[in-house]
Amino acid sequence: MSVLSCRGVSLGYEGRIIAENINFDIEQGDYVCITGENGSGKSTLIKAILGLLPHAAGTITEGDGVKHTEIGYLPQQTDIQRDFPASVWEIVLSGCQSRAGMRPFYNREEKQTAESNIEKTGLSALKKRCYRELSGGQQQRVLLARALCAARKMILLDEPAAALDPMASAEMYGLINKINKEDKITVLMVSHDVASALKYADKLLHIGETVFFGNRDEYVKNVLSKGFMPGGGND
Amino acid sequence: MTEILSKLSLYLQYPFVRYALIVGTLIALCSSLLGVTLVLKRFSFIGDGLSHVAFGAMAIAAVLNLTNNMPLVLAVTVICAVLLLRTGANAKIKGDAAVAMISVGALAVGYLLMNIFAKSSNLSGDVCSTLFGSTSILTLGKTDVILCCALSAAVIIIFILFYNKIFCVTFDETFARSAGTKAGVYNLIIAVVTAVIIVLAMNLVGSLLISALVIFPALSAMRVFKSFRSVTICSAVLSVFCALTGMLISVLAGTPVGSTIVAVDIVTFAVFSVISLIKRGAK
Ligand SMILES: Nc1ncnc2c1ncn2[C@@H]1O[C@H](COP(=O)(O)OP(=O)(O)OP(=O)(O)O)[C@@H](O)[C@H]1O
Ligand SMILES: [Mg+2]
């Protein structure tokens, strides 16, 4: 049984449809990349999966005991205040919110989860530092660690490496790959970096005028060679 | 020095002075707890806006000749708080504009009503005391004090129980909602608690100076401290310290309570700004 399946999903805002008839199934442990032009509806799809937005038509079902509150989420844009006083530790721990549920305080197990995710993302030395004083790449890793705290089986990443330099983004992709392979967490990631997407992903979803879902070879044949993804074909 | 102390102990023998100190401390504590969240949610001026709403409601209560205006004032303020913090989420009118609108509107209508239906001959005195806080904190009865203690205790308990959720919702509402946190519910709680605190605080500093109680301790703490928890604790401590100092000075020197507290707040803000500059320079 698949952990996430979308059947005939259409996305839109207030009656205006932006993407239609999206179908795909994701199995436990998959590494899936979503590509598509700016404005094609990738972020909207992610939000619909998380239940943050309603979708216009179709069904999105989680299987295998995955609840959408148990999916880790790294947003593309956050409206985090620039002057917000919050330490790395506080932010990562807040990822355990869905585990704590109605319980007002975090228990020892949750604190350990936060601790181990801080270690995993290489933030141990920055644990006490203030979020707003970190570099963009470090901030992105903090948000990844927070998402990992929420993720029990699956994590959704919306352009996690968009603002990072080539070194930092390679590091980010390596980290995500490690999480996928070692911790067996299903990864669903939006990315404009087709080269890295082809390098790591088992399956790819393309959203645009045509919607495509399939494995690497099919993606190269159906999407890249037909020029739906300009600039992606030459590497 | 001994003279001051003996004068102080003389004053402290009066129950109304003790009541004022207790109530003032509690209100300062509550408003500073919420202040951090409100400042970060860009609702610094909600205190101002809501206190003017409360002022308008008081005017209505006065016109209706209600003897106990507390329930009406509280209800009207809570409703406005909920509406205001709601608009923050899906704003057609942006938060600050909505606050300004309601604030100025309520002030004008309140003053108008008081003017038309005024029974007392000392209108400007009445208005002045509602706006700047009067000696009314020194005229608190026992029931007022008990009510204030109960409400403050409720606010503090709610804040402690929901501390982690409030952090989550204030820091990143989208993520909080994706984790299944009912952001709407917590925004509602924040709104209601804010309204309660403001109605309480009107007695202490009057409606014009409430914003100071909400904003100054949070801003001072944010100058020096870098984590949410330390900022919250520091602003609570600061706020209580400033309120106590301000009230003692005002009792001894006979200055107006509200303005004295705010003056002390301003001094601490200046001190903390200097500390932050020194810290940065030392790095
Ligand atoms: N809140 C909104 N209300 C109305 N329309 C919106 C809203 N958010 C996005 N849209 C529209 O929906 C479309 C898809 O947006 P979306 O953010 O999903 O694109 P995307 O594929 O993630 O693009 P990008 O690669 O730039 O991140 C866009 O045309 C956008 O204008
Ligand atoms: Mg996007």
Side-chain angles (χ1 to χ4, degrees):
Chain A
M1 196 188 163
S2 55
V3 287
L4 182 73
S5 85
C6 286
R7 288 276 159 274
V9 170
S10 295
L11 304 167
Y13 288 94
E14 287 148 17
R16 195 171 54 87
I17 299 293
I18 49 178
E20 271 184 297
N21 202 24
I22 301 169
N23 291 295
F24 63 88
D25 286 284
I26 297 176
E27 312 294 328
Q28 175 62 42
D30 275 355
Y31 189 127
V32 182
C33 276
I34 305 176
T35 61
E37 289 167 24
N38 289 137
S40 54
K42 304 178 297 294
S43 300
T44 310
L45 173 65
I46 298 275
K47 287 181 188 157
I49 293 173
L50 286 164
L52 295 176
L53 288 175
H55 44 284
T59 54
I60 299 175
T61 42
E62 290 104 12
D64 255 358
V66 176
K67 282 194 232 125
H68 68 244
T69 56
E70 294 175 357
I71 298 175
Y73 175 43
L74 177 60
Q76 175 177 19
Q77 265 171 355
T78 45
D79 29 357
I80 293 170
Q81 309 285 355
R82 308 210 71 232
D83 57 351
F84 203 109
S87 66
V88 169
W89 168 249
E90 285 176 317
I91 294 170
V92 174
L93 189 60
S94 77
C96 291
Q97 193 54 238
S98 66
R99 291 174 194 244
M102 279 315 290
R103 184 156 30 80
F105 305 108
Y106 299 110
N107 62 23
R108 182 170 301 160
E109 195 185 326
E110 282 150 6
K111 287 183 182 153
Q112 258 158 20
T113 309
E115 193 78 55
S116 77
N117 284 323
I118 282 179
E119 233 162 79
K120 213 176 283 172
T121 46
L123 291 168
S124 302
L126 304 174
K127 196 175 138 187
K128 294 244 164 58
R129 286 278 295 278
C130 177
Y131 177 79
R132 63 169 192 254
E133 289 170 354
L134 302 179
S135 77
Q138 291 167 333
Q139 290 186 343
Q140 203 66 357
R141 274 191 283 154
V142 173
L143 298 187
L144 176 67
R146 177 182 70 169
L148 284 173
C149 285
R152 273 181 254 193
K153 289 189 174 155
M154 190 191 291
I155 188 163
L156 303 188
L157 307 160
D158 200 343
E159 300 191 27
L164 307 185
D165 67 44
M167 276 276 278
S169 58
E171 208 175 295
M172 190 80 182
Y173 288 130
L175 197 58
I176 294 165
N177 190 48
K178 201 170 124 200
I179 289 157
N180 174 249
K181 297 292 169 326
E182 289 177 7
D183 301 336
K184 305 276 182 287
I185 288 181
T186 312
V187 172
L188 184 59
M189 175 165 75
V190 175
S191 170
H192 286 292
D193 184 347
V194 177
S196 310
L198 283 172
K199 182 171 163 201
Y200 291 112
D202 312 311
K203 294 174 187 166
L204 295 106
L205 174 68
H206 179 80
I207 300 183
E209 277 170 26
T210 55
V211 176
F212 165 86
F213 180 70
N215 65 25
R216 232 170 286 175
D217 298 338
E218 291 166 336
Y219 182 85
V220 172
K221 203 163 65 203
N222 286 294
V223 180
L224 292 190
S225 62
K226 290 190 183 158
F228 287 131
M229 201 62 204
N234 45 19
D235 45 26
Chain B
M1 193 68 205
T2 44
E3 200 181 322
I4 295 177
L5 278 180
S6 64
K7 203 172 168 190
L8 208 59
S9 63
L10 178 70
Y11 276 119
L12 283 177
Q13 277 165 4
Y14 296 107
F16 65 86
V17 173
R18 290 201 300 265
Y19 290 161
L21 286 178
I22 295 172
V23 169
T25 310
L26 285 174
I27 291 172
L29 180 61
C30 291
S31 58
S32 68
L33 285 182
L34 238 82
V36 179
T37 311
L38 290 176
V39 167
L40 291 171
K41 271 177 156 309
R42 294 296 177 269
F43 273 111
S44 298
F45 265 102
I46 197 166
D48 203 46
L50 287 181
S51 59
H52 292 176
V53 169
F55 168 77
M58 277 179 172
I60 295 175
V63 168
L64 293 178
N65 246 334
L66 295 181
T67 39
N68 185 2
N69 59 13
M70 193 73 167
L72 178 77
V73 174
L74 202 57
V76 173
T77 315
V78 165
I79 292 170
C80 284
V82 170
L83 289 178
L84 277 179
L85 283 167
R86 273 283 278 273
T87 57
N90 48 5
K92 293 275 188 282
I93 301 177
K94 270 274 172 232
D96 61 338
V99 170
M101 220 169 69
I102 288 201
S103 151
V104 178
L107 193 61
V109 172
Y111 184 62
L112 203 61
L113 282 176
M114 278 184 132
N115 214 322
I116 295 173
F117 296 98
K119 286 172 207 69
S120 100
S121 49
N122 183 16
L123 178 67
S124 59
D126 280 356
V127 172
C128 200
S129 69
T130 355
L131 289 181
F132 288 102
S134 53
T135 46
S136 71
I137 186 154
L138 295 176
T139 57
L140 292 170
K142 206 162 187 176
T143 42
D144 291 326
V145 176
I146 292 172
L147 179 72
C148 181
C149 287
L151 284 176
S152 309
V155 167
I156 293 167
I157 290 171
I158 288 177
F159 187 83
I160 292 174
L161 283 183
F162 291 120
Y163 169 82
N164 283 318
K165 312 264 192 251
I166 290 176
F167 171 77
C168 224
V169 170
T170 319
F171 181 67
D172 188 346
E173 191 168 322
T174 318
F175 180 84
R177 287 200 293 139
S178 85
T181 307
K182 306 253 178 312
V185 174
Y186 295 106
N187 282 333
L188 196 71
I189 292 177
I190 293 173
V192 172
V193 171
T194 308
V196 170
I197 290 173
I198 281 161
V199 173
L200 285 179
M202 293 223 12
N203 276 331
L204 181 60
V205 289
S207 58
L208 273 187
L209 300 177
I210 286 180
S211 291
L213 274 194
V214 171
I215 302 171
F216 271 111
L219 284 184
S220 304
M222 278 161 67
R223 297 251 103 177
V224 173
F225 290 95
K226 304 290 180 197
S227 77
F228 191 69
R229 186 205 290 241
S230 54
V231 166
T232 307
I233 293 173
C234 170
S235 87
V237 172
L238 268 189
S239 182
V240 168
F241 170 78
C242 291
L244 275 178
T245 316
M247 281 186 292
L248 289 179
I249 291 176
S250 94
V251 166
L252 290 175
T255 49
V257 184
S259 335
T260 314
I261 295 178
V262 175
V264 177
D265 270 318
I266 294 172
V267 171
T268 34
F269 179 73
V271 170
F272 271 66
S273 299
V274 171
I275 294 177
S276 103
L277 279 181
I278 293 172
K279 262 180 102 175
R280 209 171 308 156
K283 260 185 197 163

